[in-house]
Amino acid sequence: MTGNAARVQAIQNIINRKPMPAKAPESLDSLWASDVFTLSKMKENLPKEIFKSVKKTIEASEQLDVSVADVVALAMKDWAMSKGALYYAHVFYPLTNATAEKHDGFISVQSDGSVISEFSGKVLVQGEPDGSSFPNGGIRSTFEARGYTAWDVTSPAFIMTTDNGATLCIPTVFVSWTGEALDKKTPLLRANAAMNKAAKRVLSLLGHTDIAPVNSSCGAEQEYFLVDANFVNNRPDLLLAGRTLFGAPAAKGQQFDDHYFGAIPERVQVYMQDVEEQLYRLGIPAKTRHNEVAPGQFEIAPFFESANVATDHQQLLMTVLRNTAKKHGLVCLLHEKPFKGINGSGKHVNWSVGNATQGNLLDPGTTPHSNTQFLLFCGAVIRGVHRYGPLLRAAVATASNDHRLGANEAPPAIMSVYLGSQLDNVFEQISNGKITGSLNAGVMDLGINTLPVFNRDAGDRNRTSPFAFTGNRFEFRAVGSGQSVAGPLVTMNTILADSLNWVADRLDSKLKQGADLDTAILNTLKEIIDQHGAVVFGGNGYSAEWHKMAVEERGLANLKTAADALPVLKEAYVEELFDTLGVLSPVELASRFEIYAEQYILAIEVEAKLVLSMAKTGIYPAAVKYLSDLSCAINSLKSNGIELGNERLVQVAALLASMMETIAKLGTAISRHDFPTTEEHMQFCANTIRPLMDEVRRYADSLEGEIADELWPYPTYQEMLFIK
Ligand code: ADP
Ligand code: MG
């Protein structure tokens, strides 16, 4: 074993680590949703009339009546206390991708000094955390700090347990005193409502009379890395920034393709099973687990749920992944690019829309009639991605995701839609105005009923596409692994709502002009594909040809960095989109730009500071010590008549000098704060600070390959990726 003392100690700790005590496996029946106040638990614990009223409220996404709330609160408290909870928390989702919670006790002190437990409908339904410490992007000044949380009845309350107790958690929206959304849940609920309204318009124009509420669904595939905590504790970059800012590649990376779907290491499997047990208790339907492409990388995918619940569950899943890793002596990294030179992590957001009466509206089905309905919804998605591609790009724009998008392992930053060959062909026929070559009458006579019945996607996949149709849903693959899925879902539902309204307007006017329904549909679809077909692309999204063609011939945007993408939120057409559909007011949208831009700048500044401190206090001293050892050795050998030569000395000294020169430049760069606009500050981060950080890293990583291993201060890639 080589390595400096701290690294050797870390490896010793891992070797001597005691395995987690084995737990007897529990049955799915006893685990499933045992920590959730589900509808069936409400049914058990509430008077019949009250239960009916709550159920109706949930189904219609309405407000809970206060008298009903009191009864629900009491039942919820009794249930939670029976599970050991003494506290409750309103859980909300501020604009930071994190989850926030404010805890209060059920305890109420009486005048005689005794205590009782208390939990009224009012405190269940509404809370008032001091909102001043959450980013608000200028919506409020600190002296107007009031923020309100309100229970989202469509997302069930649950219990979070620690070794020492339990807390009742109530999912809530978070709004300012003036009613503006300060969170990610409020716009998601609004976007879903807008999509529901627009989808119903289209469905009723198609002749449906019984139309249940249309909801969006989401199934998110989560990638993550696991690294032993002993290593992470010796890496300030992993601790504070979640990614390695230094580190030469290990001799072996992912080139053998031997990790993907390989046997899961036992320690990791024990961890995964622990995670899954907790997820089941929380009613989160974990379904798939496997190794990912990079060494030390894994994936978990729950079964899909309604987008709102799936979003809350996704936040919980990230919390459970992180917290459980700690118990197992591991650290779960959700950063998009923890290690240079091997794959990063994303979150594929599978998304569809549907309802109880018409089913999944993005399912091609098997009958011609439902095909046309499907084609309209699919066409609406195509139009949305084309018109609002830059907005979709902005919805996944973070400092960390910039390392992934366009880096030839994840989708490019150019937003395009992959349909698969069958659908490509159908839309091509639509564009030609003829459905199949075998029909010889005119388009009008052919009627839409002759559309070929196509089977579900045969399973051909295009991993290079950011937005792919995968059989009965779309999969948005550009989402970052550490991101909340709320923003992407808000965007998808909003652009679909806009497109469905457009479709409804077109159908409506064509029908009013006397067209029959089939013709109106076909012509509307033709308009879509003729105007927006440029966004459909089935080839290799990584290729240089596509990057050129997409921009030069098809007019698609290639917004390479978050600094390029976030200003899209300030564009007039984006403001109008969100405002018209009632998803975000102009003030709310502007605040989001401010917050996301600030987070981008802060993230890069923190990293730059870490680069400075690690290079100066860790790498520089190690290199100097090596140089001094080496020059002593050279001199003493010389006095014994042996010539070692001083080439290595010169080479290492030169690398060190270059590193320190760049460090000086980086230091100057981060001290600059006089930027006329936020946009310019972001561009400076992207185009000046980041390249300087990369340059420091190049010198440092070269030094790592030159100096004595026993002097190197930080755990290496080989250690972090291969020792568990
Ligand atoms: P992949 O082949 O892309 O790795 P996975 O099976 O890992 O697929 O994940 C697919 C995800 O898509 C799962 O979460 C699944 O539940 C989800 N999904 C399936 N149907 C729908 C749907 N109609 N709406 C949303 N998500 C869906
Ligand atoms: Mg997938």
Side-chain angles (χ1 to χ4, degrees):
M1 216 182 297
T2 59
N4 79 338
R7 282 165 52 209
V8 170
Q9 184 62 52
I11 296 171
Q12 276 302 348
N13 293 349
I14 296 168
I15 293 169
N16 297 332
R17 188 183 156 272
K18 293 207 179 57
M20 293 284 288
K23 273 197 276 185
E26 274 186 64
S27 73
L28 186 56
D29 267 353
S30 73
L31 285 176
W32 180 245
S34 57
D35 287 346
V36 188
F37 198 56
T38 55
L39 265 182
S40 61
K41 286 200 189 83
M42 289 198 206
K43 194 171 179 185
E44 273 166 38
N45 293 296
L46 291 173
K48 218 170 175 179
E49 283 315 304
I50 299 277
F51 173 71
K52 266 199 200 155
S53 155
V54 176
K55 190 159 173 263
K56 208 179 125 242
T57 308
I58 293 173
E59 280 164 2
S61 303
E62 279 165 2
Q63 248 169 7
L64 205 61
D65 190 85
V66 183
S67 60
V68 173
D70 271 331
V71 187
V72 177
L74 198 60
M76 202 185 269
K77 187 200 75 182
D78 288 346
W79 169 78
M81 290 189 81
S82 77
K83 307 210 58 124
L86 296 177
Y87 274 73
Y88 69 93
H90 273 199
V91 177
F92 53 101
Y93 310 93
L95 294 169
T96 50
N97 290 318
T99 306
E101 36 194 68
K102 180 181 179 234
H103 294 225
D104 284 288
F106 290 127
I107 188 170
S108 170
V109 182
Q110 305 300 289
S111 51
D112 64 357
S114 62
V115 295
I116 56 165
S117 65
E118 224 174 45
F119 188 53
S120 68
K122 191 163 171 285
V123 289
L124 162 65
V125 171
Q126 190 179 316
E128 195 190 319
D130 178 354
S132 56
S133 307
F134 294 100
N136 59 68
I139 283 184
R140 301 162 312 156
S141 20
T142 12
F143 60 88
E144 295 163 335
R146 265 176 209 276
Y148 295 102
T149 51
W151 183 30
D152 165 22
V153 287
T154 57
S155 187
F158 57 93
I159 281 180
M160 282 297 264
T161 39
T162 65
D163 288 342
N164 285 332
T167 307
L168 169 67
C169 296
I170 300 152
T172 62
V173 297
F174 180 43
V175 295
S176 73
W177 188 68
T178 40
E180 273 112 3
L182 297 173
D183 68 342
K184 291 189 178 261
K185 187 188 261 291
T186 309
L188 179 55
L189 294 171
R190 291 178 187 160
N192 203 68
M195 187 280 299
N196 168 42
K197 210 167 142 194
K200 279 179 163 171
R201 279 188 69 200
V202 172
L203 290 174
S204 89
L205 282 164
L206 293 182
H208 294 288
T209 47
D210 182 17
I211 307 169
V214 181
N215 203 345
S216 51
S217 55
C218 163
E221 304 161 52
Q222 173 76 57
E223 294 177 334
Y224 59 94
F225 276 85
L226 290 174
V227 178
D228 194 282
N230 285 291
F231 294 134
V232 176
N233 290 334
N234 285 316
R235 297 271 330 198
D237 47 1
L238 279 182
L239 268 180
L240 297 187
R243 78 167 173 120
T244 54
L245 297 165
F246 297 102
K252 182 183 165 184
Q254 62 192 42
Q255 64 272 57
F256 294 108
D257 287 330
D258 54 355
H259 188 68
Y260 191 49
F261 282 120
I264 299 171
E266 174 149 352
R267 182 178 177 194
V268 174
Q269 189 154 335
V270 171
Y271 161 77
M272 286 175 167
Q273 283 159 339
D274 199 354
V275 166
E276 287 150 13
E277 183 186 306
Q278 294 173 67
L279 295 179
Y280 286 159
R281 283 186 198 288
L282 292 165
I284 301 174
K287 175 102 178 111
T288 315
R289 61 159 106 109
H290 59 80
N291 286 0
E292 259 301 328
V293 172
Q297 192 188 26
F298 308 92
E299 177 178 305
I300 180 169
F303 197 70
F304 73 95
E305 302 177 276
S306 87
N308 178 36
V309 173
T311 302
D312 290 358
H313 280 173
Q314 230 291 308
Q315 293 296 112
L316 259 177
L317 181 139
M318 291 197 284
T319 304
V320 171
L321 280 175
R322 285 194 179 109
N323 291 351
T324 311
K326 278 201 191 126
K327 282 202 281 177
H328 290 250
L330 297 162
V331 171
C332 174
L333 301 173
L334 295 175
H335 193 283
E336 285 76 5
K337 193 77 179 177
F339 299 99
K340 193 182 165 186
I342 58 174
N343 272 19
S345 300
K347 184 140 60 194
H348 292 178
V349 175
N350 293 269
W351 162 81
S352 187
V353 294
N355 67 4
T357 40
Q358 279 73 43
N360 180 352
L361 296 163
L362 287 173
D363 191 332
T366 48
T367 63
H369 174 78
S370 56
N371 276 352
T372 63
Q373 181 174 297
F374 158 75
L375 287 173
L376 277 178
F377 278 84
C378 185
V381 174
I382 294 171
R383 177 184 176 275
V385 178
H386 188 230
R387 263 180 79 93
Y388 299 105
L391 175 61
L392 266 179
R393 169 66 184 92
V396 296
T398 61
S400 46
N401 212 13
D402 277 358
H403 297 286
R404 231 183 110 237
L405 298 181
N408 269 11
E409 51 156 67
I414 304 164
M415 294 296 129
S416 67
V417 177
Y418 172 77
L419 292 176
S421 42
Q422 270 171 327
L423 276 183
D424 265 344
N425 178 256
V426 171
F427 276 104
E428 207 179 293
Q429 291 178 44
I430 291 168
S431 176
N432 293 335
K434 277 205 196 103
I435 301 310
T436 71
S438 62
L439 302 170
N440 46 22
V443 178
M444 302 300 160
D445 294 346
L446 298 178
I448 204 110
N449 287 340
T450 53
L451 269 184
V453 177
F454 40 85
N455 298 321
R456 281 158 197 276
D457 197 290
D460 53 341
R461 284 163 180 274
N462 183 326
R463 288 284 175 193
T464 69
S465 174
F467 209 89
F469 183 72
T470 50
N472 61 0
R473 59 186 185 271
F474 279 91
E475 182 171 340
F476 188 21
R477 302 205 181 107
V479 182
S481 50
Q483 238 193 303
S484 158
V485 296
L489 287 167
V490 166
T491 310
M492 292 190 280
N493 282 329
T494 306
I495 65 181
L496 179 60
D498 175 71
S499 279
L500 289 173
N501 278 328
W502 180 87
V503 166
D505 290 345
R506 303 303 294 158
L507 288 180
D508 201 26
S509 86
K510 288 183 207 300
L511 292 174
K512 282 193 178 126
Q513 283 161 22
D516 65 85
L517 184 59
D518 282 351
T519 310
I521 293 172
L522 183 64
N523 289 348
T524 303
L525 282 170
K526 186 167 157 49
E527 269 182 76
I528 290 180
I529 205 65
D530 289 348
Q531 287 170 29
H532 304 287
V535 81
V536 178
F537 177 65
N540 178 6
Y542 296 166
S543 69
E545 298 84 72
W546 168 240
H547 281 71
K548 198 166 143 59
M549 184 214 284
V551 177
E552 290 173 12
E553 290 168 33
R554 301 209 188 183
L556 304 178
N558 182 6
L559 302 171
K560 291 200 177 97
T561 67
D564 299 329
L566 284 174
V568 171
L569 299 180
K570 294 179 104 175
E571 302 263 352
Y573 77 101
V574 169
E575 186 180 302
E576 194 191 324
L577 170 80
F578 283 120
D579 196 24
T580 316
L581 289 164
V583 175
L584 289 169
S585 69
V587 172
E588 289 171 331
L589 183 64
S591 78
R592 272 142 186 89
F593 169 76
E594 289 303 330
I595 291 165
Y596 301 150
E598 187 182 31
Q599 284 174 351
Y600 175 80
I601 292 165
L602 287 176
I604 292 179
E605 281 181 355
V606 166
E607 288 188 350
K609 282 183 195 156
L610 277 165
V611 165
L612 290 183
S613 74
M614 287 174 75
K616 286 202 259 191
T617 66
I619 296 166
Y620 180 79
V624 168
K625 174 84 170 68
Y626 177 66
L627 286 174
S628 134
D629 289 355
L630 186 58
S631 71
C632 282
I634 289 171
N635 287 337
S636 94
L637 284 172
K638 204 180 211 164
S639 62
N640 286 305
I642 301 172
E643 259 322 316
L644 195 58
N646 65 353
E647 293 82 6
R648 283 184 61 71
L649 206 54
V650 171
Q651 190 192 351
V652 172
L655 277 173
L656 190 59
S658 301
M659 183 181 87
M660 294 317 284
E661 242 171 66
T662 320
I663 281 290
K665 285 190 215 155
L666 181 60
T668 312
I670 63 168
S671 64
R672 217 194 123 184
H673 285 287
D674 54 333
F675 298 94
T677 62
T678 310
E679 283 88 331
E680 279 161 87
H681 197 174
M682 278 195 291
Q683 288 296 340
F684 184 75
C685 288
N687 301 318
T688 303
I689 296 190
R690 278 229 153 124
L692 283 171
M693 287 166 58
D694 290 343
E695 199 179 320
V696 174
R697 179 178 187 150
R698 271 197 300 280
Y699 295 125
D701 290 358
S702 300
L703 282 170
E704 186 183 339
E706 297 297 333
I707 77 172
D709 188 45
E710 63 170 16
L711 296 175
W712 194 254
Y714 302 117
T716 62
Y717 270 33
Q718 177 174 311
E719 288 158 354
M720 291 185 286
L721 292 170
F722 293 97
I723 301 179
K724 279 206 178 58

